[in-house]
């Protein structure tokens, strides 16, 4: 018998519950999703629970349904970077990670903002790089339109490479701050970046010295082959949708299997599926709570809106307690900004839903609850802790992004009842910096390796800029 | 057109305000070499927290944070950036180079302070108006109503090259200084006006009571109180509404530093507070060179009279005079310190505004005289940090209170510390709510393009 392998450690992320139909705003204890007190309260719980980081999603346009503002779900959220910085200001150890689109930002600006957050937070910043390829969101931005679906990862790839050049353009010791010699900065250690590529044409010198982590931790959330390829090349974390055990294992194998070709080791990328947890004092109690929460998450009106989005048309008179419509989905292009994920083949999807409703004898609302509000882990704290552990030891994930259904205290019960059990099992930290580092960066908290040096990258070069030395007046 | 002595909308009489402008180690280029400076800490949260807490504790009304998208050395190569925009600018060893993003520094400071207004600089030239407007709203949430915006545009080729989206407009500096119309400047101003309009429209896009949480009907929102803005200007379009619900102040105070008539006109059209630069003999003062407070105030009021701001429900512009300030300490006179710093820098310090060095009593005399000449406040630019900020709090502000230039105590009642209140701007009226109420006195500001003054 060989000595047993050390237990794999679980990573936990706290997703601030905001804009979506999982947030139960009708609960009498539900608070504001926008006042800073809610973020403070949520962050304090997550840090008490020793979570790796707090995560914020991004939505760059208020959702519409049938061409009008969608009025059923929580709407309204803060801008990602400003609120992450304020959260970092009131916490000490926990990471702050936000979703920021590579389509609707510009590299020089976003790179300096992320580097600024990394400085201010003492190395706790992360960036979930998403591509937002649709004209609906593009309606709020200068570039207007959107990128063709095929090009969005080309832009993301070029964006991240250029951002890394900017983050690397100040040497580690570039700031001398030497009073006696009068040299604040070593000009030899700061290089401008010029880049002439299909997406960007940039000549700039970064305004931000090297930050504590050098790069923010790079997160990716996307599922397509192109998305997985981008993740294998660039991401340190994948926020995935694959919460089930077998499905998770398959995704895990697929993505980690892509790493060697990118010259990376298996432990340089963590896979963290989104998960919802419902606890109870007994299994029956937990399942009853899950059922109740599911119906709270899916009001009759929400169920109808969900079906309408898939059908791609209004369905006046649809009874939420009755059967699915017998009419076929419309064959016009799905309207942008609908309250649902993209549906490629609506006729096939409708057939699939009809089959499930018939097999399980479900009304419209029951079907929508089953499709959308099925909670990932339901049971006693002991059961849930064991399940989370099983997924991680079984390489179905490296941890979870917990998506609570209540703002701002939806994490409290998990932190109070499940975290101690994970600690007892020896699979979750008992303090930040337990690896002997008093003020760990986010990357250290995650146990990820330092970012590798940059290889030769086509289309991007560092140059020593030449400028005129004449001093003129500034206007 | 209303004069500044007229009570603004809401009937609040503006009181004199004192703000501080923070940048690096202070406004003198050699300030980082002061014994009291901590140049190695300029990129740390601790540095900015300490400055902000010191100003907050002293009762300073607001702080502004400078910013730009290029390194400081680029400014020294000429007013409009390096000659060859294909090449990135090089950093200069002798000056503070590098800055953290001002809006994020403000977001960091906000939860750690109680009363002070936080006003970051954000440029309108290359940024996304939607990101800019929503980030400022978020700053208003995290500061609980203490946020403002120092609007700036970026004329330089350096900034344009960093984005690569469009070339920098060509500006004829001689024409601008001579007060002649310049199409390049007009283009920048026109874009800034559009961005300001879009920001204000987005800030109004949610009415106060849009979030209804009506359990009976299952509606979280009243969709009739959330409005698309459908802005379509010459340079960009923004559909809206904002992703951020109405911010605590509704409309954040927009501030703007201006040296020249076309920019006074921009301020009159979109800003609440204008910083002017009196009494500077330096080239850096541009069109303000050699002009005193009374003259500049008259010019600003003339620009204001030519604008329709009152018709759009704006309070009269608050005019704030900028002053670089170095105060005597027990150990050394500020004049000696300035000499020492000039020697270190290798050239005498010149500013776009007046540079004062001396004792707090003389500083209070000057500020009192400016007050009588018609300004609504001063913004102090400390010569070096943190010592001049400390001295402002310990000696100058108490003197201004003693002399009745500032109120004896912070007039803001507990729970009402918003920045609009400090500037006496009154409660912001939402254009849609006003239109609904059919109010004739506060019609909705239009979202159409403001013509650039040509
Ligand atoms: C778990 C998860 C979370 C996501 N979160 C966001 C988000 O907050 N904002 C956003 O614009 N897109 C988000 N996306 C969408 C992705 O950015 C991407 O556009 C989408 O998944 C399509 O990419 P793919 O084709 O690679 O799957 C998310 C995707 C996943 C899988």
């Amino acid at each position: 018998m060989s000595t047993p392998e050390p237990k794999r450690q679980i990573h936990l992320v706290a997703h601030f519950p905001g804009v979506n139909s999982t947030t139960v705003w009708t609960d009498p204890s539900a608070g504001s999703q926008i006042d800073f007190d809610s973020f403070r309260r949520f962050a304090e719980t997550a840090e008490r629970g020793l979570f790796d980081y707090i995560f914020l999603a991004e939505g760059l346009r208020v959702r519409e349904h049938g061409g009008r503002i969608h009025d059923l779900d929580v709407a309204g959220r803060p801008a990602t970077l400003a609120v992450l910085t304020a959260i970092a200001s009131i916490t000490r150890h926990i990471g702050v990670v936000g979703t920021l689109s590579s389509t609707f930002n510009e590299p020089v600006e976003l790179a300096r903002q992320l580097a600024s957050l990394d400085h201010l937070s003492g190395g706790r910043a992360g960036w979930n790089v998403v591509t937002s390829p649709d004209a609906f969101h593009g309606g709020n931005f200068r570039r207007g339109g959107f990128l063709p679906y095929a090009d969005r990862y080309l832009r993301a790839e070029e964006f991240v490479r250029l951002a890394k050049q900017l983050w690397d353009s100040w040497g580690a010791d570039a700031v001398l701050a030497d009073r006696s010699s009068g040299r604040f900065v070593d000009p030899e250690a700061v290089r401008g970046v010029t880049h002439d590529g299909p997406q960007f044409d940039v000549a700039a010198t970064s305004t931000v010295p090297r930050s504590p982590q050098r790069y923010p931790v790079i997160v990716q959330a996307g599922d397509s082959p192109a998305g997985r390829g981008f993740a294998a090349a660039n991401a340190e974390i994948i926020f995935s949708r694959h919460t089930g055990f077998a499905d998770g294992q398959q995704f895990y194998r697929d993505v980690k299997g892509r790493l060697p070709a990118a010259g990376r080791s298996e432990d340089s990328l963590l896979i963290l599926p989104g998960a919802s947890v419902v606890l109870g004092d007994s299994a029956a109690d937990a399942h009853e709570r899950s059922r109740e929460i599911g119906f709270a998450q899916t009001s009759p009106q929400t169920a109808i809106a969900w079906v309408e989005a898939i059908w791609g048309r209004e369905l006046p008179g649809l009874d939420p307690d009755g059967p699915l419509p017998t009419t076929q989905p419309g064959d016009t292009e799905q309207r942008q900004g609908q309250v649902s994920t993209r549906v490629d083949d609506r006729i096939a999807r409708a057939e699939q839903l009809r089959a499930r409703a018939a097999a399980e004898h479900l009304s419209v609302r029951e079907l929508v609850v089953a499709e959308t509000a099925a909670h990932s882990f339901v049971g006693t704290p002991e059961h849930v802790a064991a399940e989370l552990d099983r997924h991680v030891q079984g390489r179905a994930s490296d941890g979870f992004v917990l998506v609570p259904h209540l703002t701002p205290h939806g994490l409290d019960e998990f932190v109070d009842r499940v975290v101690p059990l994970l600690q007892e099992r020896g699979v979750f930290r008992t303090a930040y910096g337990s690896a002997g580092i008093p003020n760990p960066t986010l990357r250290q908290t995650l146990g990820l390796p330092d970012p590798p040096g940059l290889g030769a990258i086509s289309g991007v070069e560092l140059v020593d800029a030449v400028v005129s030395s004449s001093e003129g007046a500034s206007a | 057109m209303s004069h500044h002595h007229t009570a603004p909308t809401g009937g609040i009489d503006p009181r004199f305000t004192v703000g501080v402008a923070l940048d690096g180690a202070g406004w003198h280029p050699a300030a980082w070499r002061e014994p009291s400076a901590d140049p190695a800490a300029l990129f740390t949260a601790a540095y900015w927290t300490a400055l902000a807490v010191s100003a907050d504790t002293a009762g300073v009304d607001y702080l502004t944070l400078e910013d730009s998208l290029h390194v400081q050395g680029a400014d020294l190569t000429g007013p409009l950036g390096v000659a060859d925009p294909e090449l990135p600018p090089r950093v200069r060893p002798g000056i503070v180079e590098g800055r953290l993003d001002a809006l994020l520094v403000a977001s960091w400071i906000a939860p750690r302070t109680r009363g002070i207004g936080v006003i970051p600089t954000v440029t309108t030239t290359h940024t996304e108006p939607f990101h800019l407007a929503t980030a400022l709203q978020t700053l208003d949430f995290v500061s609980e109503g203490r946020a403002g915006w120092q609007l700036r545009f970026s004329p330089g080729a350096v900034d344009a090259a960093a984005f690569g989206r469009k070339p920098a407009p060509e500006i004829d500096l001689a024409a601008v200084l001579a007060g002649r119309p310049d199409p390049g400047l007009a283009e920048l101003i026109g874009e800034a006006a559009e961005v300001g309009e879009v920001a204000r429209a987005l800030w109004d896009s949610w009415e106060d009571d849009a979030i209804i949480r009506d359990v009976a009907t299952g509606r979280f929102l009243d969709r009739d109180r959330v409005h698309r803005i459908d802005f379509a200007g010459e340079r960009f379009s923004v559909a809206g509404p904002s992703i951020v619900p109405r911010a605590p102040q509704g409309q954040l105070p927009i501030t703007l530093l201006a040296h020249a008539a076309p920019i006074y006109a921009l301020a009159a059209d979109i800003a609440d507070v204008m910083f002017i630069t009196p009494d500077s003999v330096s080239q850096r003062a541009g069109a303000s060179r050699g002009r005193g407070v009374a003259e500049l105030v008259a010019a600003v009021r003339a620009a204001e009279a030519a604008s329709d701001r009152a018709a759009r429900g704006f309070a009269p512009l608050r005019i704030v005079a900028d002053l670089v300030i170095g105060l005597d300490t027990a150990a050394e006179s500020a004049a000696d310190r300035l000499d020492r710093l000039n020697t270190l820098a290798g050239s005498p310090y010149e500013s776009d505004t007046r540079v004062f060095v001396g004792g707090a009593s003389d500083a209070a005399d000057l500020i009192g005289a400016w007050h009588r000449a018609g300004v609504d406040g001063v913004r102090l630019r400390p010569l070096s940090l943190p010592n001049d900020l400390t001295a402002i709090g310990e000696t100058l502000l108490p003197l201004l209170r003693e002399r009745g230039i500032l109120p004896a105590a912070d007039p803001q009642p507990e729970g009402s510390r918003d920045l609009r209140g400090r500037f006496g701007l009154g409660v912001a009226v939402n254009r849609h709510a006003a239109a609904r109420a059919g109010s004739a006195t506060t019609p909705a500001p239009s979202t159409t393009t403001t013509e650039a003054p040509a």
Side-chain angles (χ1 to χ4, degrees), chain A residues 55-59 77 99 101 128-133 137 149 152-153 220-228 239-241 274:
Chain A
F55 176 72
L56 253 59
E58 179 181 66
R77 66 205 316 164
T99 302
S101 164
N128 179 29
V129 186
V130 301
T131 61
S132 326
H137 294 91
Y149 188 77
R152 71 221 154 92
Y153 279 110
Q220 187 267 2
D223 224 357
S224 61
R228 293 180 191 202
F239 174 26
S240 95
R241 290 205 170 99

Side-chain angles (χ1 to χ4, degrees), chain B residues 12 44 47 108 138 155 159 186 190 204 224 315 329 362 366 382 394 451:
Chain B
I12 297 165
T44 64
Y47 177 78
W108 175 274
T138 302
D159 297 76
D204 268 354
D224 294 333
T329 63
D362 289 343
L366 173 62
E394 286 177 357
E451 272 310 308

